[in-house]
Amino acid sequence: MNAPASPAIQYYWEDLPVDTTIDLGSLTVDRDEVLEFAGKYDPQPFHLSDEAAAQSIFGRLAASGWHTCAMVMGLMVRNFLLQSSSLGSPGLEKLKWLRPVYPGDTLTVRQRIVESRPMASRPDVGLVRSVWEAFNQDGEQVLMMDGYGMFRRRTPGAAAAPSPAN
């Protein structure tokens, strides 16, 4: 599969101050994708079989939490990272699956910047800590991720006031 062409950069580190919220879009969870992902990466019975899921705490076929993360990542890449100066991520601090995600659910995702600072070791890079939240069609939060991203700076080495971590 070919990588999508990157559009012009809209977001450098300087464009991501604390309290910025970015709508990352929505998607509807596809049953066939739930089964395919589970078959490849998380073959627990309640992700693979209606019968097994009916006997589980989920009561019906549920998407793997890892699949939910992958769907959120897809929205994040398509609707933000491809338009940014992203240099990758050093990792997550927290990941919580708050409610099951079922085929047919529509997930809406947003990103909130909670910390932003220049990297001391790399004056051309800024570090941004974000909280990503996914909600189902009923407004119930199903996922929360808290982690970092590294972004190229528009003006490397320029002075910037540190922002508090929330």
Side-chain angles (χ1 to χ4, degrees):
M1 178 190 240
N2 293 333
S6 293
I9 294 175
Q10 296 177 17
Y11 300 102
Y12 285 88
W13 173 78
E14 290 86 350
D15 302 311
L16 303 170
V18 171
D19 292 331
T20 298
T21 299
I22 301 167
D23 177 10
L24 298 175
S26 298
L27 62 75
T28 299
V29 180
D30 180 85
R31 177 185 171 80
D32 291 338
E33 290 177 5
V34 167
L35 295 169
E36 181 181 1
F37 185 97
K40 286 184 178 180
Y41 304 110
D42 191 356
Q44 297 181 76
F46 43 78
H47 297 319
L48 290 170
S49 158
D50 290 313
E51 295 75 23
Q55 302 304 312
S56 75
I57 62 170
F58 302 115
R60 58 186 170 128
L61 189 70
S64 165
W66 297 113
H67 185 194
T68 303
C69 290
M71 289 184 281
V72 167
M73 186 69 191
L75 287 171
M76 188 184 336
V77 169
R78 287 188 294 278
N79 298 320
F80 172 64
L81 290 177
L82 289 178
Q83 295 86 37
S84 79
S85 65
S86 174
L87 298 169
S89 170
L92 295 174
E93 293 294 314
K94 293 180 191 170
L95 168 61
K96 293 183 181 183
W97 295 302
L98 301 167
R99 291 186 178 275
V101 171
Y102 300 108
D105 281 356
T106 298
L107 303 182
T108 300
V109 180
R110 70 177 178 223
Q111 172 183 359
R112 185 171 35 92
I113 310 297
V114 296
E115 180 183 351
S116 183
R117 61 182 169 82
M119 288 185 70
S121 62
R122 299 269 321 260
D124 58 329
V125 177
L127 192 62
V128 173
R129 182 173 162 205
S130 295
V131 172
W132 297 273
E133 299 169 309
F135 299 87
N136 66 19
Q137 65 282 354
D138 298 320
E140 300 167 324
Q141 189 172 358
V142 299
L143 176 136
M144 186 282 298
M145 292 190 304
D146 176 344
Y148 290 90
M150 298 175 293
F151 295 87
R152 203 173 300 116
R153 294 179 68 183
R154 185 180 285 112
T155 53
S163 66
N166 290 358

